[in-house]
mmCIF file of all heavy atoms in Angstrom:
data_model
loop_
_atom_site.group_PDB
_atom_site.id
_atom_site.type_symbol
_atom_site.label_atom_id
_atom_site.label_comp_id
_atom_site.label_asym_id
_atom_site.label_seq_id
_atom_site.Cartn_x
_atom_site.Cartn_y
_atom_site.Cartn_z
ATOM 1 N N ALA A 1 -337.219 -7.297 51.086
ATOM 2 C CA ALA A 1 -338.105 -8.085 50.234
ATOM 3 C C ALA A 1 -338.664 -7.288 49.137
ATOM 4 O O ALA A 1 -338.707 -7.697 47.951
ATOM 5 C CB ALA A 1 -339.182 -8.823 51.001
ATOM 6 N N ARG A 2 -339.167 -6.075 49.425
ATOM 7 C CA ARG A 2 -339.747 -5.221 48.389
ATOM 8 C C ARG A 2 -338.746 -4.694 47.426
ATOM 9 O O ARG A 2 -338.947 -4.657 46.213
ATOM 10 C CB ARG A 2 -340.452 -4.035 48.978
ATOM 11 C CG ARG A 2 -341.620 -4.390 49.949
ATOM 12 C CD ARG A 2 -342.849 -4.853 49.204
ATOM 13 N NE ARG A 2 -343.676 -3.661 48.795
ATOM 14 C CZ ARG A 2 -344.641 -3.185 49.586
ATOM 15 N NH1 ARG A 2 -344.827 -3.734 50.801
ATOM 16 N NH2 ARG A 2 -345.337 -2.153 49.200
ATOM 17 N N ILE A 3 -337.511 -4.361 47.881
ATOM 18 C CA ILE A 3 -336.373 -4.001 47.017
ATOM 19 C C ILE A 3 -336.112 -5.110 46.095
ATOM 20 O O ILE A 3 -335.985 -4.972 44.820
ATOM 21 C CB ILE A 3 -335.192 -3.638 47.869
ATOM 22 C CG1 ILE A 3 -335.429 -2.297 48.634
ATOM 23 C CG2 ILE A 3 -333.949 -3.470 46.910
ATOM 24 C CD1 ILE A 3 -334.311 -1.892 49.582
ATOM 25 N N ARG A 4 -335.977 -6.324 46.587
ATOM 26 C CA ARG A 4 -335.578 -7.490 45.744
ATOM 27 C C ARG A 4 -336.629 -7.774 44.746
ATOM 28 O O ARG A 4 -336.410 -8.164 43.627
ATOM 29 C CB ARG A 4 -335.242 -8.718 46.598
ATOM 30 C CG ARG A 4 -334.008 -8.482 47.482
ATOM 31 C CD ARG A 4 -333.544 -9.838 48.041
ATOM 32 N NE ARG A 4 -332.502 -9.681 49.020
ATOM 33 C CZ ARG A 4 -331.225 -9.397 48.796
ATOM 34 N NH1 ARG A 4 -330.862 -9.108 47.506
ATOM 35 N NH2 ARG A 4 -330.326 -9.190 49.727
ATOM 36 N N ALA A 5 -337.940 -7.608 45.187
ATOM 37 C CA ALA A 5 -339.098 -7.844 44.221
ATOM 38 C C ALA A 5 -339.061 -6.890 43.071
ATOM 39 O O ALA A 5 -339.175 -7.231 41.919
ATOM 40 C CB ALA A 5 -340.396 -7.823 44.974
ATOM 41 N N VAL A 6 -338.783 -5.594 43.342
ATOM 42 C CA VAL A 6 -338.656 -4.602 42.260
ATOM 43 C C VAL A 6 -337.547 -4.897 41.364
ATOM 44 O O VAL A 6 -337.582 -4.850 40.142
ATOM 45 C CB VAL A 6 -338.537 -3.179 42.921
ATOM 46 C CG1 VAL A 6 -338.252 -2.232 41.826
ATOM 47 C CG2 VAL A 6 -339.819 -2.772 43.567
ATOM 48 N N LEU A 7 -336.391 -5.258 41.918
ATOM 49 C CA LEU A 7 -335.166 -5.477 41.121
ATOM 50 C C LEU A 7 -335.419 -6.733 40.275
ATOM 51 O O LEU A 7 -334.876 -6.768 39.135
ATOM 52 C CB LEU A 7 -333.930 -5.714 42.043
ATOM 53 C CG LEU A 7 -333.508 -4.414 42.797
ATOM 54 C CD1 LEU A 7 -332.403 -4.793 43.828
ATOM 55 C CD2 LEU A 7 -332.917 -3.449 41.742
ATOM 56 N N ARG A 8 -336.060 -7.751 40.764
ATOM 57 C CA ARG A 8 -336.340 -8.974 39.985
ATOM 58 C C ARG A 8 -337.151 -8.603 38.701
ATOM 59 O O ARG A 8 -336.836 -9.124 37.578
ATOM 60 C CB ARG A 8 -337.075 -10.044 40.757
ATOM 61 C CG ARG A 8 -336.219 -10.885 41.663
ATOM 62 C CD ARG A 8 -336.836 -12.130 42.186
ATOM 63 N NE ARG A 8 -338.175 -11.833 42.871
ATOM 64 C CZ ARG A 8 -338.209 -11.650 44.252
ATOM 65 N NH1 ARG A 8 -337.035 -11.680 44.853
ATOM 66 N NH2 ARG A 8 -339.328 -11.403 44.818
ATOM 67 N N ARG A 9 -338.132 -7.840 38.931
ATOM 68 C CA ARG A 9 -339.032 -7.614 37.752
ATOM 69 C C ARG A 9 -338.312 -6.597 36.745
ATOM 70 O O ARG A 9 -338.498 -6.605 35.553
ATOM 71 C CB ARG A 9 -340.393 -7.049 38.117
ATOM 72 C CG ARG A 9 -340.495 -5.741 38.706
ATOM 73 C CD ARG A 9 -341.942 -5.330 38.922
ATOM 74 N NE ARG A 9 -342.186 -4.029 39.501
ATOM 75 C CZ ARG A 9 -342.384 -3.835 40.773
ATOM 76 N NH1 ARG A 9 -342.263 -4.757 41.662
ATOM 77 N NH2 ARG A 9 -342.533 -2.558 41.211
ATOM 78 N N PHE A 10 -337.386 -5.786 37.197
ATOM 79 C CA PHE A 10 -336.652 -4.893 36.398
ATOM 80 C C PHE A 10 -335.607 -5.670 35.673
ATOM 81 O O PHE A 10 -335.153 -5.348 34.615
ATOM 82 C CB PHE A 10 -335.997 -3.770 37.184
ATOM 83 C CG PHE A 10 -336.889 -2.548 37.293
ATOM 84 C CD1 PHE A 10 -338.165 -2.685 37.904
ATOM 85 C CD2 PHE A 10 -336.508 -1.330 36.820
ATOM 86 C CE1 PHE A 10 -338.986 -1.589 38.000
ATOM 87 C CE2 PHE A 10 -337.346 -0.203 36.911
ATOM 88 C CZ PHE A 10 -338.571 -0.316 37.504
ATOM 89 N N GLY A 11 -335.119 -6.733 36.250
ATOM 90 C CA GLY A 11 -334.071 -7.588 35.641
ATOM 91 C C GLY A 11 -334.551 -8.363 34.434
ATOM 92 O O GLY A 11 -333.717 -8.796 33.617
ATOM 93 N N HIS A 12 -335.877 -8.667 34.437
ATOM 94 C CA HIS A 12 -336.372 -9.454 33.307
ATOM 95 C C HIS A 12 -337.747 -8.908 32.929
ATOM 96 O O HIS A 12 -338.750 -9.542 33.014
ATOM 97 C CB HIS A 12 -336.469 -10.923 33.557
ATOM 98 C CG HIS A 12 -337.189 -11.317 34.842
ATOM 99 N ND1 HIS A 12 -336.499 -11.243 36.044
ATOM 100 C CD2 HIS A 12 -338.418 -11.684 35.135
ATOM 101 C CE1 HIS A 12 -337.382 -11.626 37.007
ATOM 102 N NE2 HIS A 12 -338.503 -11.936 36.406
ATOM 103 N N ALA A 13 -337.738 -7.647 32.413
ATOM 104 C CA ALA A 13 -338.947 -6.970 32.198
ATOM 105 C C ALA A 13 -339.764 -7.663 31.100
ATOM 106 O O ALA A 13 -341.017 -7.614 31.107
ATOM 107 C CB ALA A 13 -338.705 -5.523 31.705
ATOM 108 N N GLY A 14 -339.134 -8.445 30.238
ATOM 109 C CA GLY A 14 -339.895 -9.097 29.192
ATOM 110 C C GLY A 14 -340.602 -10.296 29.681
ATOM 111 O O GLY A 14 -341.675 -10.613 29.251
ATOM 112 N N GLY A 15 -339.977 -11.061 30.649
ATOM 113 C CA GLY A 15 -340.611 -12.196 31.167
ATOM 114 C C GLY A 15 -341.105 -13.134 30.153
ATOM 115 O O GLY A 15 -340.485 -13.332 29.082
ATOM 116 N N SER A 16 -342.171 -13.798 30.325
ATOM 117 C CA SER A 16 -342.750 -14.736 29.374
ATOM 118 C C SER A 16 -344.152 -14.314 28.913
ATOM 119 O O SER A 16 -344.879 -15.113 28.354
ATOM 120 C CB SER A 16 -342.717 -16.143 29.862
ATOM 121 O OG SER A 16 -343.517 -16.256 31.059
ATOM 122 N N ALA A 17 -344.463 -13.043 29.276
ATOM 123 C CA ALA A 17 -345.793 -12.613 29.057
ATOM 124 C C ALA A 17 -346.029 -12.169 27.606
ATOM 125 O O ALA A 17 -345.950 -11.043 27.262
ATOM 126 C CB ALA A 17 -346.153 -11.441 30.005
ATOM 127 N N GLN A 18 -346.267 -13.096 26.787
ATOM 128 C CA GLN A 18 -346.582 -12.846 25.427
ATOM 129 C C GLN A 18 -347.531 -13.899 24.823
ATOM 130 O O GLN A 18 -347.402 -15.036 25.220
ATOM 131 C CB GLN A 18 -345.332 -12.590 24.476
ATOM 132 C CG GLN A 18 -344.403 -13.747 24.607
ATOM 133 C CD GLN A 18 -343.088 -13.453 23.767
ATOM 134 O OE1 GLN A 18 -343.246 -13.440 22.486
ATOM 135 N NE2 GLN A 18 -342.075 -13.243 24.362
ATOM 136 N N SER A 19 -348.380 -13.530 23.943
ATOM 137 C CA SER A 19 -349.397 -14.474 23.401
ATOM 138 C C SER A 19 -349.807 -14.038 22.070
ATOM 139 O O SER A 19 -349.832 -12.857 21.822
ATOM 140 C CB SER A 19 -350.557 -14.623 24.342
ATOM 141 O OG SER A 19 -351.530 -15.357 23.748
ATOM 142 N N GLU A 20 -350.248 -14.898 21.220
ATOM 143 C CA GLU A 20 -350.726 -14.559 19.940
ATOM 144 C C GLU A 20 -352.241 -14.349 19.958
ATOM 145 O O GLU A 20 -352.859 -13.780 19.172
ATOM 146 C CB GLU A 20 -350.476 -15.664 18.889
ATOM 147 C CG GLU A 20 -348.910 -15.832 18.669
ATOM 148 C CD GLU A 20 -348.653 -16.868 17.626
ATOM 149 O OE1 GLU A 20 -349.617 -17.293 16.909
ATOM 150 O OE2 GLU A 20 -347.495 -17.179 17.450
ATOM 151 N N ALA A 21 -352.868 -14.839 21.060
ATOM 152 C CA ALA A 21 -354.311 -14.741 21.121
ATOM 153 C C ALA A 21 -354.797 -13.286 21.013
ATOM 154 O O ALA A 21 -354.436 -12.493 21.812
ATOM 155 C CB ALA A 21 -354.818 -15.421 22.467
ATOM 156 N N GLY A 22 -355.786 -13.039 20.150
ATOM 157 C CA GLY A 22 -356.452 -11.747 20.118
ATOM 158 C C GLY A 22 -355.680 -10.684 19.399
ATOM 159 O O GLY A 22 -356.215 -9.631 19.189
ATOM 160 N N ALA A 23 -354.415 -10.865 19.007
ATOM 161 C CA ALA A 23 -353.687 -9.803 18.372
ATOM 162 C C ALA A 23 -354.033 -9.751 16.874
ATOM 163 O O ALA A 23 -354.365 -10.798 16.308
ATOM 164 C CB ALA A 23 -352.214 -10.080 18.468
ATOM 165 N N ASP A 24 -354.053 -8.509 16.340
ATOM 166 C CA ASP A 24 -354.392 -8.429 14.937
ATOM 167 C C ASP A 24 -353.309 -9.047 14.069
ATOM 168 O O ASP A 24 -353.592 -9.578 12.994
ATOM 169 C CB ASP A 24 -354.527 -6.849 14.546
ATOM 170 C CG ASP A 24 -355.649 -6.258 15.278
ATOM 171 O OD1 ASP A 24 -356.542 -6.964 15.591
ATOM 172 O OD2 ASP A 24 -355.624 -5.056 15.437
ATOM 173 N N ALA A 25 -352.048 -8.996 14.566
ATOM 174 C CA ALA A 25 -350.961 -9.561 13.769
ATOM 175 C C ALA A 25 -349.801 -9.882 14.802
ATOM 176 O O ALA A 25 -349.588 -9.197 15.699
ATOM 177 C CB ALA A 25 -350.489 -8.632 12.665
ATOM 178 N N VAL A 26 -349.090 -10.905 14.422
ATOM 179 C CA VAL A 26 -347.848 -11.294 15.117
ATOM 180 C C VAL A 26 -346.806 -11.546 14.177
ATOM 181 O O VAL A 26 -346.796 -12.483 13.421
ATOM 182 C CB VAL A 26 -348.159 -12.483 16.117
ATOM 183 C CG1 VAL A 26 -346.868 -12.811 16.924
ATOM 184 C CG2 VAL A 26 -349.359 -12.244 16.949
ATOM 185 N N THR A 27 -345.777 -10.674 14.268
ATOM 186 C CA THR A 27 -344.627 -10.888 13.334
ATOM 187 C C THR A 27 -343.354 -10.643 14.090
ATOM 188 O O THR A 27 -343.070 -9.479 14.531
ATOM 189 C CB THR A 27 -344.756 -9.873 12.106
ATOM 190 O OG1 THR A 27 -345.982 -10.056 11.528
ATOM 191 C CG2 THR A 27 -343.590 -10.240 11.130
ATOM 192 N N GLY A 28 -342.502 -11.711 14.221
ATOM 193 C CA GLY A 28 -341.219 -11.567 14.870
ATOM 194 C C GLY A 28 -341.381 -11.001 16.273
ATOM 195 O O GLY A 28 -340.584 -10.240 16.716
ATOM 196 N N GLY A 29 -342.323 -11.494 16.981
ATOM 197 C CA GLY A 29 -342.504 -11.054 18.395
ATOM 198 C C GLY A 29 -343.210 -9.721 18.586
ATOM 199 O O GLY A 29 -343.268 -9.155 19.631
ATOM 200 N N VAL A 30 -343.817 -9.238 17.488
ATOM 201 C CA VAL A 30 -344.583 -7.946 17.504
ATOM 202 C C VAL A 30 -346.070 -8.247 17.688
ATOM 203 O O VAL A 30 -346.661 -8.882 16.727
ATOM 204 C CB VAL A 30 -344.262 -7.076 16.375
ATOM 205 C CG1 VAL A 30 -345.153 -5.815 16.429
ATOM 206 C CG2 VAL A 30 -342.770 -6.760 16.286
ATOM 207 N N LEU A 31 -346.718 -7.786 18.720
ATOM 208 C CA LEU A 31 -348.202 -7.831 18.797
ATOM 209 C C LEU A 31 -348.772 -6.551 18.436
ATOM 210 O O LEU A 31 -348.248 -5.507 18.675
ATOM 211 C CB LEU A 31 -348.493 -8.165 20.363
ATOM 212 C CG LEU A 31 -347.861 -9.344 20.977
ATOM 213 C CD1 LEU A 31 -348.372 -9.429 22.415
ATOM 214 C CD2 LEU A 31 -348.151 -10.597 20.225
ATOM 215 N N ALA A 32 -349.892 -6.618 17.692
ATOM 216 C CA ALA A 32 -350.582 -5.412 17.149
ATOM 217 C C ALA A 32 -352.011 -5.383 17.635
ATOM 218 O O ALA A 32 -352.756 -6.383 17.537
ATOM 219 C CB ALA A 32 -350.567 -5.394 15.670
ATOM 220 N N PHE A 33 -352.436 -4.235 18.284
ATOM 221 C CA PHE A 33 -353.793 -4.100 18.761
ATOM 222 C C PHE A 33 -354.183 -2.739 18.196
ATOM 223 O O PHE A 33 -353.898 -1.717 18.741
ATOM 224 C CB PHE A 33 -353.872 -4.111 20.242
ATOM 225 C CG PHE A 33 -353.405 -5.417 20.906
ATOM 226 C CD1 PHE A 33 -352.047 -5.556 21.303
ATOM 227 C CD2 PHE A 33 -354.240 -6.490 21.091
ATOM 228 C CE1 PHE A 33 -351.632 -6.719 21.873
ATOM 229 C CE2 PHE A 33 -353.839 -7.655 21.697
ATOM 230 C CZ PHE A 33 -352.521 -7.800 22.046
ATOM 231 N N GLY A 34 -354.857 -2.784 16.992
ATOM 232 C CA GLY A 34 -355.129 -1.398 16.409
ATOM 233 C C GLY A 34 -353.852 -0.681 16.029
ATOM 234 O O GLY A 34 -352.956 -1.290 15.404
ATOM 235 N N ASP A 35 -353.749 0.491 16.517
ATOM 236 C CA ASP A 35 -352.549 1.295 16.170
ATOM 237 C C ASP A 35 -351.404 1.078 17.211
ATOM 238 O O ASP A 35 -350.356 1.775 17.099
ATOM 239 C CB ASP A 35 -352.853 2.764 16.120
ATOM 240 C CG ASP A 35 -353.283 3.375 17.427
ATOM 241 O OD1 ASP A 35 -353.497 2.641 18.324
ATOM 242 O OD2 ASP A 35 -353.383 4.678 17.470
ATOM 243 N N LEU A 36 -351.657 0.109 18.158
ATOM 244 C CA LEU A 36 -350.601 -0.120 19.204
ATOM 245 C C LEU A 36 -349.850 -1.327 18.832
ATOM 246 O O LEU A 36 -350.423 -2.471 18.613
ATOM 247 C CB LEU A 36 -351.455 -0.373 20.531
ATOM 248 C CG LEU A 36 -350.484 -0.595 21.744
ATOM 249 C CD1 LEU A 36 -349.659 0.639 22.087
ATOM 250 C CD2 LEU A 36 -351.341 -1.123 22.901
ATOM 251 N N GLU A 37 -348.525 -1.230 18.799
ATOM 252 C CA GLU A 37 -347.643 -2.343 18.482
ATOM 253 C C GLU A 37 -346.713 -2.514 19.644
ATOM 254 O O GLU A 37 -346.056 -1.630 20.200
ATOM 255 C CB GLU A 37 -346.792 -2.064 17.239
ATOM 256 C CG GLU A 37 -347.610 -1.970 15.946
ATOM 257 C CD GLU A 37 -346.688 -1.673 14.740
ATOM 258 O OE1 GLU A 37 -345.537 -1.325 14.880
ATOM 259 O OE2 GLU A 37 -347.212 -1.882 13.621
ATOM 260 N N ILE A 38 -346.583 -3.862 20.052
ATOM 261 C CA ILE A 38 -345.726 -4.196 21.202
ATOM 262 C C ILE A 38 -344.683 -5.174 20.734
ATOM 263 O O ILE A 38 -344.994 -6.303 20.292
ATOM 264 C CB ILE A 38 -346.566 -4.821 22.323
ATOM 265 C CG1 ILE A 38 -347.711 -3.918 22.722
ATOM 266 C CG2 ILE A 38 -345.654 -5.130 23.530
ATOM 267 C CD1 ILE A 38 -348.741 -4.658 23.551
ATOM 268 N N ASP A 39 -343.415 -4.770 20.759
ATOM 269 C CA ASP A 39 -342.308 -5.637 20.361
ATOM 270 C C ASP A 39 -341.866 -6.371 21.619
ATOM 271 O O ASP A 39 -341.177 -5.789 22.448
ATOM 272 C CB ASP A 39 -341.202 -4.837 19.714
ATOM 273 C CG ASP A 39 -340.023 -5.670 19.255
ATOM 274 O OD1 ASP A 39 -339.961 -6.875 19.610
ATOM 275 O OD2 ASP A 39 -339.131 -5.141 18.561
ATOM 276 N N THR A 40 -342.303 -7.673 21.739
ATOM 277 C CA THR A 40 -342.035 -8.411 22.961
ATOM 278 C C THR A 40 -340.596 -8.897 23.053
ATOM 279 O O THR A 40 -340.106 -9.345 24.143
ATOM 280 C CB THR A 40 -342.936 -9.606 23.114
ATOM 281 O OG1 THR A 40 -342.757 -10.480 22.041
ATOM 282 C CG2 THR A 40 -344.465 -9.082 23.078
#
């Protein structure tokens, strides 16, 4: 069960965890928090 759980999250690391709330800017799936940019 633990192996399968790890493999599941590695298989779709992007998931659906993204939001525009609170980000300084959102452009083409890129979230910006100060000097940190996350390309979702």
Side-chain angles (χ1 to χ4, degrees):
R2 297 286 274 273
I3 291 173
R4 295 196 188 284
V6 171
L7 291 171
R8 277 197 301 273
R9 70 176 182 263
F10 271 58
H12 52 276
S16 59
Q18 51 182 290
S19 170
E20 297 183 7
D24 294 336
V26 181
T27 305
V30 176
L31 306 179
F33 301 92
D35 66 350
L36 182 68
E37 294 183 345
I38 307 167
D39 184 344
T40 61

